[in-house]
Amino acid sequence: MANAPHGGLLKDLLVRDASISAQLRQETATLKDIVLTERQLCDLELIINGGFSPLEGFMNESDYNSVVDTLRLADGTLFPMPITLDVSSHEIIRLGITPGARLTLRDPRDDEALAIITVQDVYTYDRVREAIQVFGADDPAHPAVTYLRNSVKEYYVGGKVQAIQGPSHFDYVALRYTPAELRAHFGKLSWTKVVAFQTRNPMHRAHRELTVRAARLRQANVLIHPVVGLTKPGDVDHYTRVRVYEAIMAKYPNGMGHLALLPLAMRMAGPREAVWHAIIRKNFGATHFIVGRDHAGPGKNSQGKDFYGPYDAQELVQKYKDELQIEMVPFQQMTYLPSSDEYQPIDEVPAGVQTLDISGTELRRRLKTGAAIPDWFSYDAVVRRLRESYPPRNQQGFVLFLTGLHNSGKDAIAKALQVVLNEQGGRSVSLLLGDAIQDDSKPKSLTPEERHGNLQRIAFVSSELARAGAAVIAAPVAPEERSRALVKDTVVSSAGAGGNFFLIHVATPLEHCESTDRRGVYAQARNGLIKGFAGVDVKYEVPKKADLTVDIRTQNIPSIVHSIILLLETGSLI
């Protein structure tokens, strides 16, 4: 039989509340709404389907503080990850969020009512404390810390939820299971031992060999359970990955494996995340869970060192094995032996025997450049799926983001670039001038939040165009580092193979920009006719990590354009 849920009872709120869902839906007409973020949507789906058992809602202050400090809920139950519903002070006032209030939680994609939360408490939190305790450091090189700093709002709302319906999915519907559905599937097939494999990356021959070996040693079946919610920015998109998983499932012995998708928003929290993943797989019915080397690690910190030790995750899961009641299978790094044409665990290879490996970085390089991927590393069907989503570099989209003061020359450079790239051909070229997507690019009064919101829209449009293979030239003032970082993160994480982003700082000084301003825009700003004007009443924050810095005082437009073209050529994009 399937493993018992964490806490002893599967908290399937969809089943629990099915008899009153119509009544709850009617009630939503009388309630105010919280439109969920993408992360909150992923969290809510796993709360209401039981994936986060024993949770029945978003954590209250007592549970939150206990989890952050001790990896346990206030009642002592092991649960390592804070699951929170963040709201702004403005939302608290506008929606009247106070203890006892009932609010509808809506899907941001289609505005459907998914659940009703009864507010237990509204509380503040310490971002630095949460970053250090949960992620190990208050370091913006960690994607979850960056998210905490830039995207999470000022307050958390705690309270239990009542389920109306799960989020609608239109992709890979047959592969999406609730914990109850997956448990029933295991029961139907008489699977009593199930080894779960967590991944956010494409799978290749080594992964297949690893999982088959783990299953055979335990006389078990394999659950390939990849994350298709939020992963690390820059990861391969889930559509491509699922096509890869479907292709590789055909390489498993008949009846050994099963593929199911997990709508999880990962935090990349290393050891804590590994314990969390084990709890989730336990709730889905798995009896064994593979924990990898540097499991759910985000990579390097700001000092160039790994955030977590290679075996920290395995050690923490092992520490809590009696409470987890799911057997950990330590990830064995597999390596290829050309002499015998097989994969073996690296620690079982005799000294002196030749081995071959391709790192994830090297694989991405080969995909981007079109270099060969040997059949000993992956299967032809898998490589074909990856090639479909990762065309050669000279067919990939990119974004040239020019930032600088008004009249710095960025617009002239952008227009010249458009002409040069159109001359080369091979891609459509899109030009986005100004701090807003509009026909009239004349400077207007903007608050910092209005400008930031406009740049969010520029980021979205740029990423969609780049995903389709276009060359995008955006030339806003973009005076704030946070806005520029948001644009880059959006493009890198959302544009797929087109996530090639170049930040170009047009560093012409304010004095020159103002002295050559024939239109008198700076004069209007200094007279108060234009508010929020960079260089006058808003500080321009100099980019910290520009890919290229230029200045029209010392360089002419053709030479600047040529240097940008060389930057693209160096990256094999043209």
Side-chain angles (χ1 to χ4, degrees):
M1 60 182 293
N3 204 355
H6 194 56
L9 180 66
L10 187 67
K11 298 298 180 74
D12 189 333
L13 309 188
L14 291 167
V15 172
R16 184 198 68 184
D17 299 332
S19 63
I20 60 170
S21 62
Q23 176 184 335
L24 292 172
R25 191 183 300 277
Q26 288 180 344
E27 185 184 355
T28 62
T30 68
L31 301 177
K32 294 183 178 179
D33 307 314
I34 293 178
V35 178
L36 301 172
T37 64
E38 192 174 359
R39 177 193 277 191
Q40 292 166 352
L41 178 66
C42 291
D43 287 349
L44 180 65
E45 181 168 5
L46 288 167
I47 289 171
I48 63 178
N49 72 17
F52 283 172
S53 295
L55 300 190
E56 296 182 53
F58 291 95
M59 290 181 181
N60 59 31
E61 186 172 15
S62 177
D63 281 331
Y64 167 79
N65 285 325
S66 183
V67 166
V68 168
D69 291 335
T70 72
L71 288 78
R72 297 182 182 278
L73 299 172
D75 66 6
T77 303
L78 180 67
F79 202 96
M81 196 64 59
I83 305 299
T84 53
L85 179 64
D86 59 294
V87 296
S88 66
S89 55
H90 173 71
E91 287 174 311
I92 290 174
I93 296 170
R94 180 175 62 85
L95 301 176
I97 304 178
T98 57
R102 286 171 64 78
L103 299 159
T104 304
L105 303 180
R106 292 192 178 273
D107 191 322
R109 304 166 304 165
D110 55 17
D111 207 41
E112 283 291 320
L114 303 179
I116 294 175
I117 184 171
T118 301
V119 177
Q120 183 177 352
D121 55 11
V122 181
Y123 56 99
T124 59
Y125 62 99
D126 185 332
R127 293 176 197 262
V128 174
R129 168 176 166 254
E130 182 174 329
I132 292 173
Q133 292 290 90
V134 178
F135 308 115
D138 183 30
D139 185 339
H142 195 300
V145 174
T146 296
Y147 186 89
L148 183 63
R149 287 185 179 189
N150 299 336
S151 301
V152 179
K153 299 167 189 173
E154 310 98 282
Y155 292 88
Y156 288 154
V157 173
K160 294 187 176 182
V161 302
Q162 293 171 293
I164 298 172
Q165 63 179 338
S168 297
H169 294 289
F170 302 100
D171 59 330
Y172 309 113
V173 176
L175 299 177
R176 294 180 182 270
Y177 295 79
T178 68
E181 290 169 345
L182 198 54
R183 287 167 167 273
H185 182 75
F186 295 157
K188 184 176 182 179
L189 297 178
S190 299
W191 286 13
T192 56
K193 289 191 286 186
V194 179
V195 179
F197 181 64
Q198 142 85 29
T199 184
R200 46 172 255 269
N201 294 310
M203 291 177 64
H204 303 284
R205 279 190 62 180
H207 302 102
R208 186 264 185 198
E209 298 300 324
L210 162 72
T211 50
V212 168
R213 183 184 181 91
R216 285 176 173 165
L217 287 174
R218 291 157 182 83
Q219 294 185 310
N221 292 93
V222 176
L223 170 65
I224 305 301
H225 208 203
V227 171
V228 294
L230 296 180
T231 60
K232 184 181 176 182
D235 280 352
V236 176
D237 67 275
H238 83 271
Y239 300 104
T240 299
R241 289 191 288 113
V242 175
R243 291 194 289 270
V244 165
Y245 303 141
E246 289 178 320
I248 206 167
M249 291 307 297
K251 304 300 181 180
Y252 279 82
N254 189 35
M256 174 180 278
H258 187 70
L259 173 63
L261 309 182
L262 181 68
L264 178 70
M266 290 184 67
R267 271 60 163 182
M268 308 304 298
R272 278 193 184 235
E273 184 120 356
V275 175
W276 188 39
H277 288 176
I279 289 171
I280 293 167
R281 272 41 184 238
K282 178 184 176 183
N283 287 330
F284 275 87
T287 55
H288 298 71
F289 179 55
I290 296 173
V291 178
R293 186 181 184 276
D294 191 25
H295 186 100
K300 305 293 184 182
N301 63 18
S302 296
Q303 287 73 48
K305 298 180 180 179
D306 290 334
F307 271 95
Y308 312 113
Y311 303 108
D312 287 357
Q314 294 179 2
E315 290 170 3
L316 195 65
V317 173
Q318 184 66 19
K319 175 181 176 180
Y320 292 114
K321 65 177 183 178
D322 292 338
E323 293 176 81
L324 285 171
Q325 290 295 301
I326 184 171
E327 183 179 327
M328 179 182 71
V329 180
F331 187 105
Q332 298 169 294
Q333 184 176 349
M334 306 293 285
T335 188
Y336 178 68
L337 279 62
S339 59
S340 56
D341 188 27
E342 65 177 343
Y343 276 84
Q344 286 190 11
I346 196 167
D347 56 359
E348 296 181 15
V349 177
V353 174
Q354 181 190 13
T355 63
L356 295 175
D357 293 288
I358 292 179
S359 68
T361 300
E362 173 63 12
L363 173 64
R364 287 188 290 272
R365 185 194 70 79
R366 293 184 183 220
L367 285 172
K368 287 184 176 181
T369 61
I373 298 173
D375 57 7
W376 61 259
F377 176 78
S378 196
Y379 299 101
D380 287 343
V382 168
V383 174
R384 281 199 303 272
R385 301 296 186 277
L386 291 171
R387 295 282 191 208
E388 289 168 1
S389 297
Y390 284 82
R393 290 283 281 174
N394 61 4
Q395 295 176 24
Q396 295 173 17
F398 57 82
V399 176
L400 297 170
F401 191 84
L402 282 67
T403 174
L405 294 168
H406 174 74
N407 201 41
S408 62
K410 61 181 179 59
D411 289 7
I413 296 168
K415 292 174 182 177
L417 269 171
Q418 183 185 32
V419 172
V420 171
L421 290 172
N422 274 327
E423 177 190 15
Q424 293 203 356
R427 290 183 181 87
S428 64
V429 183
S430 297
L431 179 62
L432 306 174
L433 294 179
D435 279 0
I437 300 175
Q438 55 190 20
D439 293 333
D440 181 8
S441 61
K442 294 179 181 178
K444 292 180 174 63
S445 296
L446 292 171
T447 67
E449 289 310 312
E450 287 172 336
R451 190 186 301 273
H452 188 70
N454 286 341
L455 286 166
Q456 284 181 304
R457 288 182 278 276
I458 289 174
F460 172 76
V461 171
S462 298
S463 66
E464 291 299 302
L465 289 168
R467 179 201 291 275
V472 182
I473 307 164
V477 173
E480 293 184 285
E481 187 72 20
R482 64 164 182 149
S483 299
R484 297 190 292 260
L486 178 142
V487 175
K488 180 176 180 178
D489 289 346
T490 301
V491 172
V492 169
S493 64
S494 302
N500 303 293
F501 182 89
F502 301 90
L503 179 64
I504 299 162
H505 178 206
V506 184
T508 310
L510 173 63
E511 295 76 16
H512 183 86
C513 295
E514 189 165 1
S515 65
T516 58
D517 176 24
R518 294 190 303 105
R519 294 166 57 194
V521 177
Y522 281 94
Q524 294 178 55
R526 295 198 182 280
N527 291 329
L529 298 177
I530 302 176
K531 304 290 185 183
F533 195 83
V536 177
D537 57 347
V538 167
K539 179 183 177 181
Y540 180 87
E541 299 173 3
V542 176
K544 298 176 182 176
K545 294 182 179 179
D547 295 290
L548 184 66
T549 300
V550 299
D551 185 339
I552 63 169
R553 295 176 310 157
T554 57
Q555 300 167 271
N556 59 34
I557 299 295
S559 66
I560 291 173
V561 169
H562 184 63
S563 65
I564 295 171
I565 294 297
L566 288 177
L567 183 66
L568 296 172
E569 195 280 331
T570 301
S572 302
L573 287 164
I574 57 174

